Amino acid sequence: LQLFLFTGYWLGMANATRAQASLSGVVQDSVTQQPLAFASVFLANTTMGVTTTEQGKFEFPRVPAGTYDVVGSYVGYRLAKQTITVGPGTKEVTLLLAPTGNQLGEVVVQPEPNKPEDYRKFTELFLGGTTFSEQCHISNPNDVRVLRDDSTQELSARTKEFLQIDNDALGYRLKYYGLYFSFDPDAGSITYYGQPVFEELKPRDETQRQLWTANRLTAYTGSFMHFLRCLYTNRLAAGSFLTQQIKETPNPRYERAQQQREALLKAGAAGAYSPAEKDSLRRWSRELPELTTLYSEPRAIDSLRRVASNGRIYLRFTGQLQVAHFGEAPDPRFRQPMNTLGYSRMPFPPLRQVSRLQLADGEAEIQADGSLRNPLEVAISGYWGFEKIGEFLPYDYVPTGMPTPARVSAPAPRPVRRR
């Protein structure tokens, strides 16, 4: 059954990515308009990257149709980015890079080194806590600046150029240009974005090549990218996805519980609490502002996907959406309850990964490669919130082979590779 469904999906993706075009252009100094030779140009979130000629020209001969961020990078210049939509025919673009060279006599102030505890917290949150994340390491830690706000305790990170991450589980070297990272401990939310580019690492031997292929497929199967591609092609069932509506209603007990808790805290400030009072405090603290329930019936595809007259496809729903993927075991490092709202009565296999989605403005445009035109329009939690850089795949990734039922662990890294 898995072979039939997955093969059908792969053929659908092959047809979706058949339309390709040529993308070319030039990289210039924004002040002098002179071409910049041997500058790096890449399409963000893909493995597609080139170097300019001595005349500052570049070309991508075959680019699948879609919208991309074309990024130019050159030593001594600020990053330049231009969003373009590739369609039939040839597309041309000019990237103007602004110089950042020091002025004569300028004093350069070196930033203070990162506090070890802040940098450690950043790497835990950014790389993630999965089996694959454990096999990721940052090779230029001094190029990231990690700061913590003393009043809000918000953690943020920035890079002057790029952060380089080697993923020994998937066989990618990731350069994350223009990284913006923020962690809000009060909300428990993480936001990060930038212009990453992927480079395929060279395997030591055939065994490692096969391992990377299997691990990439494991990272892809059931992922947010996989879900969006299946939604785009109207193949959610073939991808083993189940979508259900989460209903939120105000909790009538919340305000009363908060009042009782505050009153007891004030009254007991000078002395110890009785066992009954401790039990009441625990019970009242568990009350949430809203009550959530799960509708057992799957959401119809037309209630999740809007196809516009121009052919563009949008993810759309109200409230919160629960997405379950069946057939692949979750990462053993995932310690949270997989579904706090209860399990559907429908006869699905026990192996599942459960995530939640919430839209910022009612809908978000999906592209054929399984990306969102604006990723910040969707908030992700649950299992997809757990998966981060360890499972991060380029948008031009195309799955090959069969889905694996569990993650494949890589051999212990060589001592020189360990952090």
Side-chain angles (χ1 to χ4, degrees):
L1 176 63
Q2 284 186 335
L3 175 62
F4 170 77
L5 295 178
F6 194 83
T7 303
Y9 172 73
W10 187 89
L11 291 174
M13 279 303 301
N15 290 332
T17 57
R18 183 176 298 171
Q20 294 183 334
S22 172
L23 172 63
S24 60
V26 63
V27 178
Q28 298 176 340
D29 184 303
S30 64
V31 178
T32 65
Q33 307 299 310
Q34 292 299 308
L36 296 177
F38 311 116
S40 296
V41 181
F42 62 90
L43 306 186
N45 290 288
T46 74
T47 57
M48 292 181 278
V50 295
T51 302
T52 62
T53 66
E54 293 184 356
Q55 293 76 37
K57 296 181 179 180
F58 66 88
E59 181 181 10
F60 295 92
R62 291 179 297 277
V63 178
T67 300
Y68 299 89
D69 285 339
V70 186
V71 184
S73 172
Y74 198 74
V75 177
Y77 286 79
R78 293 188 179 90
L79 210 65
K81 181 184 75 172
Q82 191 171 140
T83 303
I84 57 99
T85 298
V86 175
T90 301
K91 186 79 174 182
E92 295 186 359
V93 62
T94 299
L95 293 175
L96 300 176
L97 275 62
T100 61
N102 296 330
Q103 301 295 322
L104 186 62
E106 179 181 350
V107 177
V108 179
V109 179
Q110 296 293 337
E112 295 181 2
N114 296 318
K115 294 181 180 180
E117 61 273 18
D118 290 344
Y119 178 77
R120 184 167 53 252
K121 185 66 173 178
F122 160 70
T123 57
E124 291 173 357
L125 295 172
F126 182 62
L127 298 180
T130 68
T131 302
F132 291 166
S133 295
E134 184 67 21
Q135 299 170 58
C136 296
H137 64 273
I138 296 173
S139 59
N140 59 339
N142 294 330
D143 290 340
V144 61
R145 184 75 176 108
V146 183
L147 300 171
R148 185 185 293 274
D149 189 297
D150 292 334
S151 59
T152 65
Q153 292 301 300
E154 181 177 333
L155 194 72
S156 62
R158 305 286 188 278
T159 53
K160 185 178 180 180
E161 291 190 22
F162 61 82
L163 191 67
Q164 182 169 301
I165 304 131
D166 282 357
N167 188 332
D168 293 332
L170 303 186
Y172 288 119
R173 172 166 294 150
L174 177 65
K175 290 184 177 179
Y176 216 111
Y177 286 84
L179 172 66
Y180 169 89
F181 171 93
S182 176
F183 168 61
D184 183 347
D186 290 337
S189 63
I190 300 172
T191 302
Y192 59 88
Y193 55 84
Q195 290 80 45
V197 62
F198 291 79
E199 174 189 344
E200 299 222 25
L201 298 177
K202 185 177 181 180
R204 292 189 302 269
D205 48 33
E206 179 61 19
T207 299
Q208 187 173 56
R209 187 193 69 79
Q210 293 180 5
L211 176 67
W212 285 347
T213 299
N215 284 353
R216 291 173 187 178
L217 183 58
T218 299
Y220 172 77
T221 304
S223 66
F224 187 48
M225 176 194 289
H226 185 191
F227 169 73
L228 290 179
R229 287 182 178 181
C230 288
L231 185 64
Y232 188 93
T233 56
N234 190 10
R235 299 183 65 83
L236 287 180
S240 298
F241 287 103
L242 170 68
T243 56
Q244 295 166 288
Q245 180 69 43
I246 296 174
K247 182 181 179 181
E248 294 182 326
T249 56
N251 182 359
R253 299 187 301 270
Y254 176 73
E255 291 295 336
R256 179 62 175 167
Q258 291 299 100
Q259 294 172 1
Q260 291 174 321
R261 182 173 179 272
E262 291 175 4
L264 184 55
L265 288 173
K266 290 180 181 179
Y273 297 108
S274 67
E277 288 173 332
K278 291 180 180 179
D279 181 69
S280 295
L281 286 173
R282 285 194 295 268
R283 179 162 43 85
W284 292 332
S285 64
R286 288 196 293 266
E287 292 289 349
L288 300 175
E290 294 179 324
L291 298 175
T292 56
T293 56
L294 180 69
Y295 289 99
S296 62
E297 292 301 318
R299 288 285 299 265
I301 187 69
D302 291 340
S303 69
L304 299 175
R305 192 182 74 149
R306 180 176 73 87
V307 181
S309 58
N310 57 6
R312 292 182 175 179
I313 297 178
Y314 296 82
L315 170 66
R316 68 165 187 183
F317 59 88
T318 58
Q320 288 193 52
L321 185 72
Q322 178 170 290
V323 182
H325 179 261
F326 296 89
E328 183 185 60
D331 190 288
R333 295 175 182 264
F334 188 71
R335 306 298 184 188
Q336 303 172 23
M338 189 54 75
N339 182 2
T340 58
L341 297 182
Y343 181 59
S344 170
R345 293 189 297 271
M346 301 182 68
F348 282 96
L351 294 181
R352 64 189 187 279
Q353 302 165 359
V354 182
S355 307
R356 292 193 194 182
L357 299 178
Q358 190 163 5
L359 289 169
D361 297 314
E363 66 178 21
E365 184 176 350
I366 311 171
Q367 302 199 93
D369 59 9
S371 65
L372 295 172
R373 185 180 288 268
N374 180 5
L376 297 180
E377 291 178 334
V378 180
I380 298 173
S381 60
Y383 195 75
W384 287 337
F386 169 68
E387 294 183 320
K388 296 186 179 72
I389 294 299
E391 286 69 29
F392 191 21
L393 291 166
Y395 290 160
D396 55 339
Y397 169 77
V398 177
T400 57
M402 279 300 300
T404 52
R407 293 176 174 246
V408 181
S409 298
R414 298 174 181 175
V416 70
R417 304 284 290 185
R418 294 188 66 82
R419 288 180 289 164

